[in-house]
Amino acid sequence: MTTWLRDETPHDIFRFLRQGDEGRHQAARVTADGAAWLASAAGGRAGAALTRWEPRPASPAALPCGTLFDVVNVDPVFGRRMLDRLWEEGPGSGPVATHRGRMMLFAAPGTAQRLPALLDWEEWSREVPRPLCHGLGDAVTVPALVPSGSAGPRWLVAPDSRHPWLPGPEVVLWACVRAVRAASAADVRVSIFPPADPDANVYDVSRRR
């Protein structure tokens, strides 16, 4: 752990965020620990990243993928189904954001490389909207540390820990498959009545007295 992550860090942004941490459990708000985790994605330039964020905590930032996290970028409707499955039947999720009409699921490093291959082998893969995977060598725009109220990227599940749990490729694949199966099941209409006989006589009984 580098020294800039310690509690005695000189960055005012940590103190600013920590003031709102007490009694606050809103999923869409970044905590001081969450901000520290995000900034650490910059590696040796983490201090510089925090310095740029201090005067503009309501502005988004670009962070590299591949070392601290990967990002799985999915259709928002399908992404919502994935989140439902992860939280209702699975282990939950890591941070999740939306940007430019897409949903970004933060995943464990290596997921961007492994997930496409796993999908190719999965029998339900044709039903899965193909995700965009951002890994080593890529960068993504992350939402602001504090809500700005303006259009732009925003957190659905904001980072709130210095060591957040991140799903790996197998968990993301599981969520994709479960989301597809749930959607398929919802499209099935089950009736307790047998199908009508097209040759049967139909009588109008509405005029019977």
Side-chain angles (χ1 to χ4, degrees), residues 1-18 21 24 29-51 53-54 63-64 68-69 95 142-145 155 158-164:
M1 186 71 68
T2 54
T3 55
W4 67 270
L5 287 178
R6 296 175 183 168
D7 290 339
E8 62 268 20
T9 176
H11 292 284
D12 289 337
I13 195 167
F14 284 130
R15 288 190 287 271
F16 170 75
L17 292 172
R18 194 173 288 113
D21 286 351
R24 184 179 68 183
R29 288 181 175 269
V30 181
T31 65
D33 286 343
W37 175 75
L38 283 172
S40 66
R45 300 185 299 276
L50 286 173
T51 300
W53 240 332
E54 277 185 344
L63 293 177
L68 190 70
F69 56 76
V142 301
L145 297 181
W155 293 109
D160 60 0
S161 166
R162 297 192 184 195
H163 304 284

Side-chain angles (χ1 to χ4, degrees), residues 36-111:
W37 175 75
L38 283 172
S40 66
R45 300 185 299 276
L50 286 173
T51 300
R52 289 194 299 271
W53 240 332
E54 277 185 344
R56 297 182 299 173
S59 298
L63 293 177
C65 301
T67 301
L68 190 70
F69 56 76
D70 284 358
V71 169
V72 179
N73 187 323
V74 297
D75 170 84
V77 175
F78 187 73
R80 175 61 68 180
R81 292 173 181 164
M82 289 177 63
L83 279 185
D84 288 344
R85 302 283 69 76
L86 284 168
W87 283 104
E88 292 177 8
E89 305 173 18
S93 73
V96 181
T98 61
H99 184 42
R100 293 181 176 176
R102 302 281 292 183
M103 184 177 290
M104 303 190 302
L105 287 80
F106 285 68
T111 300

